[in-house]
Amino acid sequence: MHTEGDTWVCRSCENEEPRDSQAEAAMATQDGQWDDGAPAVADATQDSTETMQEPCPADDCDSDRAYSEMMPKPGGSYEVRLFTCVECGHKWRES
């Protein structure tokens, strides 16, 4: 929702509600906050020695070995398998 004068207006459905100064005082805002970038994420294939037979889809690579890892999807609905080619480092997901 965003404010228009003395009214809160929903950006999706255009519903309008009168502004309430007490409710607004309790709301969290982004004022004074900053984005310091995405958190560092360790590469699961780093220092890994296990590989599997999986042909690299890169046009200029003929390797048939890759590291693999399972990565949960946001929301936890399911996981996706990610591959990294042992020769060229190309990354792709299971199709």
Side-chain angles (χ1 to χ4, degrees), residues 34-66:
W34 64 90
D35 181 7
D36 56 357
V41 177
D43 185 348
T45 62
Q46 186 177 2
D47 300 327
S48 175
T49 56
E50 285 191 49
T51 63
M52 63 185 305
Q53 187 169 353
E54 184 69 31
C56 178
D59 292 334
D60 57 347
C61 183
D62 60 354
S63 174
D64 67 345
R65 302 297 301 175

Side-chain angles (χ1 to χ4, degrees), residues 39-94:
V41 177
D43 185 348
T45 62
Q46 186 177 2
D47 300 327
S48 175
T49 56
E50 285 191 49
T51 63
M52 63 185 305
Q53 187 169 353
E54 184 69 31
C56 178
D59 292 334
D60 57 347
C61 183
D62 60 354
S63 174
D64 67 345
R65 302 297 301 175
Y67 302 106
S68 72
E69 64 179 301
M70 294 300 288
M71 182 76 95
K73 294 291 279 184
S77 57
Y78 60 94
E79 292 183 325
V80 63
R81 184 180 303 262
L82 303 177
F83 296 100
T84 304
C85 177
V86 297
E87 295 292 324
C88 70
H90 179 77
K91 295 180 184 249
W92 71 98
R93 74 176 79 183
E94 188 171 48

Side-chain angles (χ1 to χ4, degrees), residues 1-3 9-15:
M1 295 190 80
H2 66 280
T3 59
V9 180
C10 177
R11 294 184 196 273
S12 299
C13 68
E14 299 297 322
N15 180 47

